[in-house]
C-alpha cells in the first residue's frame, strides 16, 4: 500500500492543511502530466502515468475526511476488508434495543424519537472522534498507537450505526 502522506511529503494527520494538500496536488499534477513526457520511451510514459494516477488517488483520499480516516486506519492495519471488530458490549446492547424498537415502530412520532436518539449517538461519536484526532500529530508513538485503537473503535461503531440509519430511512418511507 502506497503511503500517500509520504508521497506528498507531509506528516500523517487526520486534519492535514487543506491548502497545502491542494498545492501539493497541483504541483505534482504539473510535474507528472503525461503531455510533458510524450517524447519519452514507453517505460517512462508508463511510469509517469502511474505517478499521475497515484497523485489523483492520494488527493481524493486525503482531501475527504471519512476516506482519510479509513486510509490511516488501513495504513496501521486496524481496518481490513472482512474484519470482524470487537464492539463494546454496552454499544451493542444499545443498538439492539434501538433495532428492536425500530421493528415495532408503527407511527411517525415513534420513528422520529428513535431517529433523534440515533442522531444523538452519532453526534456524540463525532465529538469523541474530533477530540481523539485533534492532537494526534503531537503524540509520541506509544500514545499514537493507543489513540489509533480508540479511533478504530469509533470507526467500527460508526459503520454499525450507518446500518441502523439505513433501516431508519427504510422505515421512514412507510409514514
Amino acid at each position: 500500500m502506497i503511503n500517500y502522506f509520504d508521497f506528498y511529503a507531509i506528516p500523517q494527520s487526520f486534519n492535514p492543511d487543506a491548502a497545502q494538500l491542494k498545492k501539493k496536488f497541483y504541483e505534482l499534477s504539473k510535474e507528472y502530466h503525461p503531455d510533458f513526457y510524450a517524447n519519452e520511451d514507453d517505460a517512462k510514459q508508463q511510469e509517469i502515468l502511474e505517478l499521475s494516477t497515484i497523485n489523483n488517488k492520494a488527493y481524493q483520499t486525503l482531501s475527504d475526511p471519512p476516506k482519510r480516516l479509513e486510509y490511516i486506519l488501513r495504513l496501521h492495519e486496524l481496518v481490513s476488508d472482512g474484519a470482524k471488530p470487537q464492539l463494546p458490549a454496552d454499544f451493542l446492547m444499545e443498538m439492539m434495543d434501538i433495532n428492536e424498537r425500530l421493528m415495532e415502530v408503527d407511527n411517525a412520532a415513534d420513528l422520529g424519537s428513535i431517529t433523534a436518539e440515533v442522531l444523538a449517538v452519532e453526534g456524540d461519536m463525532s465529538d469523541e472522534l474530533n477530540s481523539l484526532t485533534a492532537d494526534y500529530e503531537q503524540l509520541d508513538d506509544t500514545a499514537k498507537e493507543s489513540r489509533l485503537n480508540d479511533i478504530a473503535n469509533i470507526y467500527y461503531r460508526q459503520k454499525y450505526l450507518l446500518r441502523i440509519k439505513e433501516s431508519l430511512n427504510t422505515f421512514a418511507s412507510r409514514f
Side-chain angles (χ1 to χ4, degrees):
M1 179 185 226
I2 293 170
N3 187 320
Y4 296 148
F5 293 101
D6 291 348
F7 185 75
Y8 277 175
I10 61 172
Q12 188 176 110
S13 171
F14 287 97
N15 305 296
D17 180 329
Q20 182 188 14
L21 208 55
K22 192 176 280 191
K23 182 179 178 221
K24 196 69 179 175
F25 170 70
Y26 286 128
E27 196 179 288
L28 294 177
S29 292
K30 287 179 193 156
E31 186 178 333
Y32 300 135
H33 197 286
D35 290 353
F36 297 136
Y37 298 88
N39 297 328
E40 297 286 341
D41 63 17
D42 287 351
K44 183 67 175 177
Q45 286 184 21
Q46 188 58 40
E47 177 193 342
I48 293 302
L49 196 58
E50 285 170 18
L51 288 167
S52 178
T53 301
I54 292 168
N55 185 38
N56 286 323
K57 285 182 179 171
Y59 186 71
Q60 287 168 3
T61 302
L62 298 183
S63 63
D64 180 282
K67 285 181 185 173
R68 181 174 56 238
L69 179 99
E70 182 177 330
Y71 175 75
I72 291 171
L73 293 174
R74 281 184 185 278
L75 275 179
H76 292 275
E77 299 176 357
L78 292 169
V79 169
S80 59
D81 298 325
K84 293 284 180 229
Q86 286 295 316
L87 293 168
D90 57 339
F91 173 77
L92 290 172
M93 293 296 287
E94 185 181 8
M95 294 304 108
M96 213 164 66
D97 176 58
I98 288 173
N99 253 331
E100 285 172 6
R101 292 189 351 247
L102 197 53
M103 295 303 148
E104 295 164 5
V105 92
D106 56 9
N107 62 62
D110 288 349
L111 184 68
S113 102
I114 294 171
T115 300
E117 190 178 334
V118 168
L119 292 175
V121 169
E122 184 181 42
D124 290 346
M125 274 193 251
S126 288
D127 292 347
E128 191 181 347
L129 191 60
N130 289 338
S131 72
L132 289 173
T133 58
D135 63 346
Y136 173 80
E137 299 77 39
Q138 284 78 48
L139 301 173
D140 66 36
D141 289 348
T142 308
K144 278 183 179 175
E145 195 176 320
S146 170
R147 184 69 62 90
L148 283 168
N149 284 312
D150 294 341
I151 291 167
N153 182 300
I154 294 175
Y155 168 83
Y156 280 117
R157 289 187 336 215
Q158 285 178 325
K159 286 271 184 235
Y160 195 98
L161 197 63
L162 192 60
R163 292 199 296 269
I164 291 190
K165 286 177 70 180
E166 287 165 359
S167 296
L168 282 170
N169 290 338
T170 304
F171 280 91
S173 63
R174 297 180 183 178
F175 302 112

